[in-house]
Amino acid sequence: MALTGYPALPAQPYEAAEAPHDWVDRYLLAGPADQECLRFGAPVDRAALRALVAGQAARLTAAGLHRGGTAALRLAPSLGYVAALLACWQLGAQAVLLDHRLTDHEVALAVERLAPEVLVESAHGPAAAMRGFAETDPVPVALPNGRPAATGHALVQLSSGSTGPAKVIARTAADLLRELDCYARLEAFPKAGERVVLLSSVVHVLGLVGGLLNSLHARVPLTVPERMTTAGILATIAADDRPTTVIGVPFHAELLAGATNPPPLPQLRRMIVAGELVRPGLPAAFTDQYGVPLGTMYGMTELGVIATDLDGTLHPEAAPVRGMDLHEDGGELHIAMAASPYPGLTDATRWSDGRLHTRDAGRVDPATGRITVLGRRDSQVSIGGLKVDLNEVEHTLAALPEVREAVVVFADGAIEAYLATETAAGAAGAAGAGAGDRADADPADADPADAVRDALTRELAAFKRPRQLTFLPALPRTATGKLVRDTAALRAAAAAAAAP
């Protein structure tokens, strides 16, 4: 059923339908020629975007890309990235998205693994740190060992890698249209006449579909801030009077909630975050600061948005979007999904019998269908025969006033906690988190560590307390802003922070 103000989507269920061959033109590029659609510094209307896409399609065709071909894009967020991606799809090719922040070595490994026929990179250098977007001139180069698409998927992405090696995940054009229909049916999601300020990466699912593609489809102008700093984001919101929704990850909400004397922002309607659980207290802190809700969404790269609480009124629950069939199996959330999203991978622990195994612990309310996401399913460990939920330990730490953010992992038979506080106290290991300070610790640095240990003694049983607390100025994050949970990476960050 078509919704008012939206280009009409196919009427049949997307799971059983193929997207029309002109889906990019019909659902993303259509609209009045002079209608503003994007702003990477300067506004771009639909006529200009259509011309840019046509130019990129000509370049890709000259490089040998064709219907059923494969192209990998390694481009920073930019107008050039948008044009190159839409051109790939317009040609009927499969687009492989590589984060521009990957090293040359990582890109080489990804190219070897995925074998695209064309690699698209920018003739310009990388974007400066904290820049929201870059100036790119996409240059497609044919690769000698590339292969055409083995499946009918339009999009291939790599998972964020926050817990280890990235997975290859693929989606069809029909599934992308299904997700756009879900967004169209969310009353609190941005509509025509409003605008979006996007902080999430357009290479990953939230920024790509919930931000870029939905804005083009819903005809809601999308702006990417020039600077991804607190001041830069606030200035971008304040620069336009239209009702504004900010889309990002919890890290961005933390930045804004901690702003000192932010300007009045009467145009701000809400902020929506996804990607990981928000720490206790963040929604209230954000609302206290700006007087608008911090909405949350639960989703996965495999199928996009799954459930939402856009007004912040259901917390900790979220309501499934249209068509989502979720159930709880042994404490894990499973979702109906006709085909595996992992091309070439046979792993019954990830997908089996038409069910996606999310590996997220959660509950489904049988009366309302709402879900409560509790964290990763693999967060339960055994300490001396006693079960400990690492999510519980992490949430307890994150709720402490001295702690900005926390990650808890299990390694070598023990629980380790990595914390960022207002004052980093250096690496401090203590059996059961109960030992005294290091003899050489500066008193000013010891205060937050003492407070954290005292709180843990009050709030957690001894067998649940981390054996080691490591204090860092900031915790490492993935390219999408998620906290890194790989033990080796966390230990390396701690070693680097402790180095003279």
Side-chain angles (χ1 to χ4, degrees), residues 229-498:
T229 60
T230 303
I233 296 168
L234 292 174
T236 301
I237 299 171
D240 195 300
D241 292 335
R242 286 173 289 188
T244 299
T245 296
V246 179
I247 298 176
V249 297
F251 171 71
H252 297 127
E254 294 278 8
L255 281 181
L256 295 179
T260 302
N261 298 321
L265 297 172
Q267 63 274 81
L268 182 61
R269 291 296 182 264
R270 64 175 44 80
M271 183 173 184
I272 301 170
V273 297
E276 59 185 349
L277 297 177
V278 300
R279 69 167 175 86
L282 177 58
F286 186 89
T287 299
D288 287 346
Q289 183 79 285
Y290 299 101
V292 298
L294 178 66
T296 57
M297 299 197 302
Y298 170 57
M300 297 177 66
T301 304
E302 287 83 344
L303 40 65
V305 62
I306 297 169
T308 68
D309 176 22
L310 300 183
D311 291 320
T313 57
L314 304 178
H315 185 78
E317 294 183 318
V321 298
R322 176 182 179 270
M324 282 294 154
D325 177 10
L326 297 100
H327 80 272
E328 179 186 341
D329 188 338
E332 179 183 7
L333 293 175
H334 288 191
I335 305 174
M337 195 173 190
S340 171
Y342 309 112
L345 176 66
T346 302
D347 185 348
T349 67
R350 295 187 182 277
W351 180 91
S352 65
D353 300 323
R355 289 278 170 178
L356 179 68
H357 302 196
T358 67
R359 296 191 174 181
D360 288 324
R363 297 190 297 266
V364 179
D365 186 319
T368 65
R370 294 173 185 164
I371 65 169
T372 301
V373 181
L374 303 174
R376 296 299 294 168
R377 181 74 175 109
D378 50 14
S379 67
Q380 190 174 85
V381 300
S382 179
I383 303 291
L386 299 173
K387 297 296 184 183
V388 178
D389 187 344
L390 299 183
N391 288 322
E392 177 191 1
V393 180
E394 186 170 297
H395 293 168
T396 300
L397 284 164
L400 299 179
E402 299 82 9
V403 176
R404 287 204 317 271
E405 51 192 11
V407 165
V408 175
V409 296
F410 182 72
D412 302 328
I415 300 173
E416 298 179 8
Y418 295 80
L419 312 173
T421 61
E422 293 303 326
T423 303
D437 299 323
R438 297 169 299 155
D440 60 347
D442 183 279
D445 288 339
D447 288 344
D450 285 342
V452 169
R453 292 190 186 95
D454 289 345
L456 287 178
T457 300
R458 292 192 306 271
E459 298 187 24
L460 289 178
F463 71 91
K464 296 182 180 180
R465 297 174 205 154
R467 177 180 296 178
Q468 177 172 303
L469 297 176
T470 300
F471 295 84
L472 298 171
L475 298 186
R477 292 180 176 271
T478 68
T480 60
K482 290 184 180 181
L483 290 169
V484 168
R485 300 182 182 278
D486 180 70
T487 303
L490 289 165
R491 288 176 173 175

Side-chain angles (χ1 to χ4, degrees), residues 27-53:
Y27 304 126
L28 302 180
L29 294 177
D34 61 351
Q35 184 180 69
E36 178 189 340
C37 55
L38 300 170
R39 184 181 289 264
F40 290 91
V44 177
D45 62 27
R46 290 184 176 268
L49 180 58
R50 289 193 283 260
L52 288 169
V53 172

